[in-house]
Amino acid sequence: MTIGSAVRRGHVRALCGRLTLVIAGGLAAVLATASAVPAAVAPPRIGVLKSDGRALVKEGGLSTTWVTENTDIKQIALAGDRIGVLKADGTALVKEGGLSATWVTEHTEIKQIALSGNRIGVLTGDGRALVKEGGLSATWVTENTDVKQIALSGNRIGVLKSDGTALVKEGGLSATWVTENTRVRQIALFGNRIGVLKGDGTALVKEGGLSATWVTENTDVLELALSGNRIGVLKSDGVALVKEGGLSATWVTENDNVLQIALAGNRIGVLKGDGTALVKEGGLSATWVTENDNVIQLALSSGTD
């Protein structure tokens, strides 16, 4: 269906509110270090959240069979061989291993879940960002308060404070926070890259240390996604763009009438305005494959996240 840019903007913002932009694609991925061991290697996975609240996941090729993972869900997150879901009642569950592994209840009264390697992050209803490292029953550590988004990648943790300040720490769970930017509405992490989406729609990315220099990537942006050496943006007119390589690489138009963009490994996913989830694998000009319909969130995992 055709959606005007104003309506699309409303849909995207509503979606981002529900999913807290993480995506993990998301929106959160991995930089392997001694303090953040990657999750076990799994086949690449695709997850979708259907409009009826069912969370489905498939692993392997783009045409493999879907497995229903849980119901009454409002967010899904993937990383390595872990799957996380956030139930409508605020309960966060994670499973590890195959698609039929047993769920473990991680926390209650949650409004966002994030996964990366052997770390799990949750954002509580009262704005506390908590992270655990190791097994599914490890102990939670309070990372920050007054938070509205949490992002994980390898040994980095990012939080977006309610006043728009973006902070990142690197190393152990008790490492020191570094202020990255202000007036931010989304933070994204992958490897040694940090991305922020400013309140005015400007997407910035830095590469290297926490004090590296910001590069302006695009303007009039609604969502930012990072994976490997790829950067994806969703423009306010619904156009999804991806670049590959350095921070100054050339943008490629991937699709239009888009509500969400997701990246993982050599895959790009988009959620169209009519609820159709599409994924492509390979180069930026690869062919799209229709994955599912009546979808309200799309999640991708390379299997080594």
Side-chain angles (χ1 to χ4, degrees):
M1 65 180 175
T2 301
I3 302 178
S5 61
V7 175
R8 179 183 294 108
R9 185 188 297 269
H11 281 316
V12 172
R13 286 177 177 165
L15 178 65
C16 291
R18 291 194 301 272
L19 307 178
T20 57
L21 292 170
V22 157
I23 320 319
L27 330 145
V30 128
L31 174 63
T33 68
S35 64
V37 179
V41 176
R45 288 174 170 176
I46 303 172
V48 295
L49 176 57
K50 302 276 284 183
S51 60
D52 62 3
R54 288 181 298 135
L56 311 179
V57 177
K58 60 165 59 180
E59 66 179 11
L62 299 184
S63 301
T64 56
T65 302
W66 290 105
V67 176
T68 299
E69 293 293 335
N70 217 304
T71 58
D72 200 26
I73 302 302
K74 61 181 180 181
Q75 186 206 342
I76 183 171
L78 304 178
D81 71 338
R82 288 180 170 180
I83 302 170
V85 293
L86 179 57
K87 301 277 284 184
D89 66 0
T91 303
L93 309 175
V94 177
K95 62 166 57 180
E96 183 175 57
L99 298 185
S100 301
T102 303
W103 289 107
V104 175
T105 299
E106 294 293 337
H107 215 289
T108 58
E109 298 183 358
I110 298 304
K111 58 184 180 182
Q112 184 206 341
I113 184 171
L115 304 178
S116 178
N118 71 339
R119 287 181 171 179
I120 302 170
V122 293
L123 179 59
T124 66
D126 60 2
R128 290 176 297 128
L130 311 178
V131 178
K132 62 167 57 180
E133 183 174 61
L136 300 186
S137 300
T139 302
W140 290 107
V141 176
T142 300
E143 294 293 337
N144 216 302
T145 58
D146 199 24
V147 173
K148 61 181 180 181
Q149 186 207 342
I150 182 171
L152 304 179
S153 178
N155 72 338
R156 287 181 171 180
I157 302 170
V159 294
L160 177 57
K161 302 277 283 183
S162 62
D163 65 358
T165 302
L167 309 175
V168 177
K169 61 167 56 181
E170 184 174 55
L173 298 185
S174 300
T176 303
W177 289 106
V178 175
T179 300
E180 293 293 338
N181 217 302
T182 58
R183 298 181 182 178
V184 172
R185 69 186 193 206
Q186 183 205 350
I187 184 170
L189 304 179
F190 191 97
N192 71 340
R193 287 181 172 181
I194 302 170
V196 294
L197 177 57
K198 300 278 284 183
D200 64 0
T202 303
L204 310 176
V205 178
K206 62 167 56 180
E207 185 173 56
L210 299 186
S211 300
T213 302
W214 290 106
V215 175
T216 300
E217 293 294 336
N218 216 302
T219 58
D220 201 24
V221 173
L222 290 178
E223 185 187 6
L224 172 66
L226 303 178
S227 179
N229 69 341
R230 288 178 171 180
I231 303 171
V233 294
L234 174 59
K235 302 276 285 182
S236 63
D237 62 0
V239 175
L241 310 175
V242 177
K243 62 166 57 179
E244 184 174 56
L247 299 185
S248 300
T250 302
W251 290 106
V252 175
T253 300
E254 293 293 337
N255 217 303
D256 58 11
N257 193 26
V258 172
L259 295 181
Q260 183 205 344
I261 183 170
L263 305 178
N266 70 339
R267 288 179 171 181
I268 302 170
V270 294
L271 175 58
K272 301 277 285 182
D274 63 359
T276 303
L278 309 176
V279 178
K280 62 166 58 179
E281 184 174 56
L284 300 186
S285 301
T287 302
W288 290 106
V289 175
T290 300
E291 293 293 336
N292 216 301
D293 56 13
N294 295 319
V295 173
I296 59 174
Q297 186 209 346
L298 171 65
L300 302 179
S301 170
S302 67
T304 58
D305 313 79

